[in-house]
Amino acid sequence: MRLLHTSDWHLGRAFHRVNMLGAQAEFIAHLVATAREREVDAVVVSGDVYDRAVPPLAAVELFDDALHRLAGLGVPAVMISGNHDSARRLGVGAGLIDRAGIHLRTDPASAGTPVLLRDAHGEVALYGLPYLEPALVKDEFGVEKPGHEAVLAAAMDRVRADLATRPPGTRSVVLAHAFVTGGRPSDSERDITVGGVASVPAGVFDGVDYVALGHLHGAQTLTDRVRYSGSPLPYSFSESAHHKSMWLIDLDARGEVTAERLPCPVPRDLARIRGTLEDLLADPALARHEDAWVEATLTDPVRPADPMARLTARFPHTLNLVFAPDRSPEDPEASYARRLADRTDEQIAEDFVAHVRGAGPDAAEQTVLRAAFDAVRADDTLREVAR
């Protein structure tokens, strides 16, 4: 069976101030053409179809167009909701459109109920595990202490229990939206840390033939059977080194995996350039970036006059300007943003406690802080879905 694995479309999202809807439509056309030309048996979309719980109408229309075009090809699609999606909204009409071969899996309670597809070698069971917010699904899965690993392990127990009832030789695929240990994040993914822990071990998914992951925006292989497709388009300059793609996955009669990476069309290259303004304007080696979307970091000791206007004269697609004078970390003028780089909200809060009290929080206080951040994030999720 041949599967086309993609994820993290984020329909409706902009790249800085650039409207990406046209590029997203171009990707959908590319996806449909690839499914037809490579004779794909099913398309799997591992979450974050939309960029927010209440997407703009144009994004909904593009998604509707994608579903119609896939259904028109007769290519089944299995899709799950991600942490950016409203599971309830994305799942509206799922039972009806299921008949057209479009299988939306947004209900955690259905984790152990597969979509069954058949090829010349028998059945393939595809299990959709939508994004599982631990605080919201712990009762469904009977988990006492909510965390990503606990709820995913409970969901996978249901998968393995169902698979055990299937005929011998039934092949299996799991779609999941999660941060799996070993994956490399970028700046454009929403933090899903719970209890100070964001990632889950790949071993949680043991027992199935292929795991189609979503959430991280860079395509990557954790094992031969566990892969991220990444987002088809860039959504932050931290993705400047990414090669956007989809995975073409072939499952043979024994469930062995063969994977081929297929590039996606990208509207414009990304470039991160750094130096003084005069150097950036004069350096001939930067000519290759003149048609790229550019993030420029200026290292001038004093902010130069009209930097954006002068940069766009050479780099007309400059989208982001960062001012970061070259200073030692001990310099009191070092930027606040630089001091906070790579620190979590919880670490920043702990630093604040240490600043005002003279000593950081003890273990019990760290537990209280962690619970507070988890509660706020879960509440934000509920509010977003309820809008």
Side-chain angles (χ1 to χ4, degrees):
M1 181 163 288
R2 174 165 286 184
L3 307 173
L4 188 60
H5 168 199
T6 177
S7 72
D8 295 274
W9 295 357
H10 288 280
L11 300 181
R13 186 166 184 165
F15 180 67
H16 290 266
R17 60 181 179 273
V18 176
N19 186 322
M20 295 290 278
L21 201 65
Q24 290 168 341
E26 185 179 354
F27 162 69
I28 294 299
H30 171 73
L31 171 76
V32 174
T34 301
R36 180 181 62 250
E37 293 164 7
R38 301 302 296 265
E39 299 180 334
V40 166
D41 295 304
V43 172
V44 297
V45 185
S46 299
D48 283 352
V49 172
Y50 293 121
D51 189 55
R52 56 182 186 265
V54 185
L57 179 59
V60 177
E61 290 174 339
L62 181 55
F63 180 55
D64 181 64
D65 178 62
L67 298 188
H68 277 84
R69 294 171 76 171
L70 288 171
L73 279 182
V75 175
V78 183
M79 304 181 175
I80 60 172
S81 49
N83 61 302
H84 280 250
D85 298 308
S86 165
R88 292 178 65 184
R89 283 190 173 87
L90 186 63
V92 168
L96 183 62
I97 65 175
D98 198 78
R99 303 175 191 174
I102 306 295
H103 309 283
L104 298 175
R105 292 296 181 262
T106 63
D107 183 0
S110 301
T113 304
V115 175
L116 296 174
L117 302 179
R118 177 176 289 276
D119 65 6
H121 305 294
E123 285 189 333
V124 177
L126 293 92
Y127 298 88
L129 309 186
Y131 171 68
L132 302 175
E133 175 61 48
L136 303 183
V137 302
K138 62 184 179 65
D139 292 337
E140 167 63 34
F141 291 107
V143 174
E144 293 183 7
K145 188 175 181 181
H148 288 297
E149 182 174 357
V151 296
L152 270 171
M156 282 301 301
D157 284 345
R158 294 188 184 184
V159 168
R160 286 184 282 264
D162 179 84
L163 195 55
T165 69
R166 303 286 165 185
T170 299
R171 290 156 292 163
S172 55
V173 174
V174 165
L175 289 71
H177 196 86
F179 185 178
V180 178
T181 303
R184 298 181 302 278
S186 61
D187 293 344
S188 52
E189 299 119 7
R190 183 179 294 172
D191 181 32
I192 59 171
T193 301
V194 173
V197 179
S199 63
V200 300
V204 165
F205 300 103
D206 285 351
V208 296
D209 294 312
Y210 184 69
V211 182
L213 293 174
H215 178 58
L216 300 185
H217 288 183
Q220 44 204 295
T221 301
L222 304 186
T223 75
D224 286 343
R225 297 182 183 274
V226 182
R227 298 171 187 263
Y228 282 101
S229 68
S231 61
L233 292 166
Y235 293 114
S236 75
F237 277 102
S238 65
E239 300 171 52
S240 59
H242 289 186
H243 299 285
K244 298 303 183 180
S245 58
M246 303 178 287
W247 287 111
L248 189 69
I249 301 296
D250 284 306
L251 282 180
D252 70 11
R254 297 174 299 166
E256 295 299 317
V257 174
T258 303
E260 179 183 355
R261 195 169 167 187
L262 305 180
C264 293
V266 176
R268 197 176 295 278
D269 289 338
L270 305 187
R272 287 177 132 173
I273 59 177
R274 182 186 180 95
T276 66
L277 179 58
E278 295 303 328
D279 286 346
L280 297 183
L281 294 177
D283 188 350
L286 299 180
R288 67 187 188 277
H289 299 316
E290 290 175 357
D291 195 45
W293 281 324
V294 168
E295 178 184 71
T297 299
L298 299 184
T299 61
D300 303 72
V302 177
R303 189 184 299 267
D306 299 322
M308 182 61 87
R310 294 168 66 187
L311 276 168
T312 53
R314 182 181 186 190
F315 306 102
H317 305 288
T318 301
L319 299 182
N320 196 37
L321 181 60
V322 180
F323 186 63
D326 281 334
R327 296 184 175 121
S328 69
E330 295 77 21
D331 191 320
E333 297 298 319
S335 74
Y336 181 67
R338 186 183 301 183
R339 296 199 302 273
L340 296 185
D342 301 321
R343 299 189 68 74
T344 66
D345 290 344
E346 188 178 328
Q347 290 170 326
I348 293 169
E350 291 176 2
D351 289 347
F352 176 75
V353 172
H355 173 72
V356 299
R357 194 172 66 182
D362 60 26
E365 291 167 332
Q366 287 177 330
T367 299
V368 171
L369 280 172
R370 189 175 301 127
F373 278 109
D374 290 348
V376 168
R377 196 196 60 259
D379 184 63
D380 285 345
T381 301
L382 283 172
R383 289 174 183 273
E384 188 168 304
V385 170
R387 282 194 301 162

